[in-house]
Amino acid sequence: MIDTALRTEVIADIQALEERRRIAMLTADVATLDKLFAEQMVYTHSNAANDNKAEYLDKLGTRHFDYRELAFLDQEIRLAGDTALVTGRMSGEVIIAGVSRKLNGQTTVVWIKQGAGWQLLAFQSTPIPAA
């Protein structure tokens, strides 16, 4: 178990990385995401489609995914060794292949500490049914 000060520091680091990721997605900043994503990264979309790192970055870079609004809400961060599990909600709007889509999902994000620092290993979104 890590001490409270270190735990607080790691949680702040993960929060900052999540914000960097959010901004990079909005601005299609592939270079930043390339550094944030682990080579073995898998991104599972709310329609159950999976992208690996290269596929996701290509789709973002070519604006197949064009995020217009994006918010990460109610995030809770759990630490287990060199792994951080982030659960919460994602809302916003994205244009996917020219079609506008509202985002409203529960998300799970896995960050791992390896090499020079923290990298995103897995993302999964589950749609929240309309009320």
Side-chain angles (χ1 to χ4, degrees):
M1 181 159 212
I2 61 176
D3 69 51
T4 303
L6 180 57
R7 179 179 187 78
T8 300
E9 181 181 324
V10 171
I11 287 173
D13 289 346
I14 297 299
Q15 288 170 328
L17 288 168
E18 281 288 281
E19 180 61 9
R20 281 183 61 201
R21 179 172 72 91
R22 187 187 74 81
I23 291 168
M25 290 169 68
L26 279 168
T27 59
D29 184 349
V30 173
T32 293
L33 291 173
D34 184 49
K35 292 174 188 167
L36 292 178
F37 292 168
E39 288 306 315
Q40 348 43 334
M41 189 270 296
V42 62
Y43 194 105
T44 303
H45 301 274
S46 60
N47 66 356
N50 286 323
D51 284 323
N52 64 31
K53 178 179 178 175
E55 292 165 336
Y56 184 83
L57 293 177
D58 180 63
K59 289 176 182 176
L60 189 66
T62 61
R63 295 293 188 162
H64 175 81
F65 299 132
D66 186 1
Y67 294 92
R68 301 300 175 96
E69 298 173 28
L70 192 58
F72 298 157
L73 308 164
D74 304 326
Q75 289 186 314
E76 184 175 341
I77 300 170
R78 295 172 185 87
L79 303 177
D82 288 339
T83 303
L85 177 69
V86 183
T87 55
R89 293 187 309 116
M90 182 173 74
S91 69
E93 180 186 0
V94 62
I95 309 296
I96 302 173
V99 178
S100 179
R101 179 152 180 246
K102 292 289 183 188
L103 300 172
N104 185 32
Q106 288 293 124
T107 59
T108 301
V109 185
V110 178
W111 290 88
I112 56 172
K113 189 170 186 181
Q114 60 181 9
W118 291 95
Q119 290 188 302
L120 189 146
L121 178 64
F123 172 89
Q124 182 164 351
S125 178
T126 303
I128 298 172

